[in-house]
Amino acid sequence: MKILLSNDDGCHAPGLVCLREQLRTRHEVQVVAPDRNRSGASNSLTVLNPLRALRHDDGTICVDGTPTDCVHLALNGLLDFKPDIVVSGINAGANLGDDTLYSGTVAAAMEGRHLGYSAIAVSNVSHSPEHYEAAARVVLRLLEQIERDPLPGDTILNVNVPDRPFEALQGFEVTRAGNRHRAEEVLKSRDPRGRTIYWIGAAGAEADCGPGTDFNAVASGRVSITPLLVDLTRHSMLERVGRWASTL
Ligand code: MN
């Protein structure tokens, strides 16, 4: 397959480099990724400033933009070929439950949703991973499956892999996204010149994390695979809110 590889940790991040090397054993890989860590960028697109893309000697292209900018640019003029699929990662840190709303890793995959195959976002659930190779092997397995049995092109597979050797993973589980409690308090402090600064707090603890959720799978040592959809419509509310229409 022709793979467009991106991430949100930056084009030199060890997770991306490990995945690139593994994917290259069987596929054609082009990296287009942010030139610095853009974790938490979600689906932001840079529209008020131009973007610059720097091609390194090894072919990696680094862009001074967000993960979404990278994939958007790659698919709409930067590359002279059309990839079959976008793979994003390997992220350092979990993207479980509502993390997916903030995740630049998931956003990069999402931006590739108009391609022929479903896109893959992959994360190692540890913030200081030691076993990126396990997650890379998981992606290779998934690509084999996708080639045999393509999913609709607007499907995003959000994959979270426990930080352990591949042989120690306790299997694969297809899951639904759980959710977290609200985030911890914002930290308020002062900069060296006495001005107030704020630091966004850590993500909240797991709330909806029972059997069947992504949280539960990784806590049990299994690879979690959650198929995501971009449609945010709350279909179950269409009729009820629809009844308002005549009275508004
Ligand atoms: Mn990240």
Side-chain angles (χ1 to χ4, degrees):
M1 284 171 133
K2 291 191 183 114
I3 297 172
L4 171 59
L5 178 60
S6 194
N7 74 347
D8 74 357
D9 291 342
C11 57
H12 303 300
L16 178 139
V17 171
C18 172
L19 184 53
R20 181 190 68 196
E21 295 312 305
Q22 288 276 328
L23 291 177
R24 276 190 180 156
T25 61
R26 287 189 218 164
H27 303 278
E28 270 180 60
V29 184
Q30 173 64 57
V31 174
V32 183
D35 65 355
R36 67 199 78 176
N37 193 324
R38 301 301 300 257
S39 294
S42 189
N43 300 81
S44 55
L45 198 60
T46 302
V47 292
L48 298 179
N49 294 299
L51 294 165
R52 289 177 177 82
L54 185 66
R55 188 184 293 264
H56 290 259
D57 289 343
D58 67 356
T60 292
I61 298 175
C62 298
V63 177
D64 59 347
T66 66
T68 301
D69 288 333
C70 291
V71 176
H72 192 92
L73 210 61
L75 300 181
N76 294 292
L78 181 64
L79 300 184
D80 53 10
F81 69 96
K82 186 172 173 265
D84 299 310
I85 186 169
V86 173
V87 177
S88 176
I90 303 164
N91 190 57
N95 277 306
L96 299 163
D98 17 15
D99 299 340
T100 52
L101 290 177
Y102 306 101
S103 170
T105 305
V106 173
M110 214 173 254
E111 191 64 16
R113 66 189 179 277
H114 297 300
L115 294 176
Y117 294 99
S118 49
I120 300 176
V122 58
S123 305
N124 179 308
V125 301
S126 168
H127 278 288
S128 42
E130 293 177 14
H131 301 284
Y132 281 122
E133 201 161 311
R137 284 176 66 180
V138 164
V139 174
L140 280 173
R141 287 274 180 95
L142 283 170
L143 290 174
E144 278 174 36
Q145 180 62 34
I146 286 171
E147 272 186 304
R148 275 199 302 269
D149 180 21
L151 300 169
D154 55 354
T155 309
I156 298 119
L157 298 181
N158 183 35
V159 181
N160 282 272
V161 184
D163 188 32
R164 49 176 80 182
F166 186 81
E167 291 74 20
L169 294 170
Q170 301 296 304
F172 293 72
E173 183 180 347
V174 175
T175 58
R176 66 177 178 85
N179 63 47
R180 293 183 185 275
H181 290 287
R182 58 185 296 173
E184 288 175 25
E185 297 281 297
V186 165
L187 295 176
K188 188 175 170 184
S189 184
R190 289 199 180 276
D191 74 7
R193 284 154 206 89
R195 289 170 298 208
T196 304
I197 54 170
Y198 300 93
W199 205 336
I200 300 285
E206 298 90 329
D208 175 10
C209 58
T213 64
D214 46 2
F215 288 103
N216 185 266
V218 297
S220 309
R222 294 187 291 275
V223 176
S224 167
I225 304 168
T226 310
L228 301 177
L229 178 68
V230 177
D231 181 2
L232 293 177
T233 311
R234 188 163 186 176
H235 290 272
S236 63
M237 279 290 137
L238 281 175
E239 198 182 325
R240 181 165 164 192
V241 181
R243 284 198 294 273
W244 294 5
S246 57
T247 64
L248 289 172

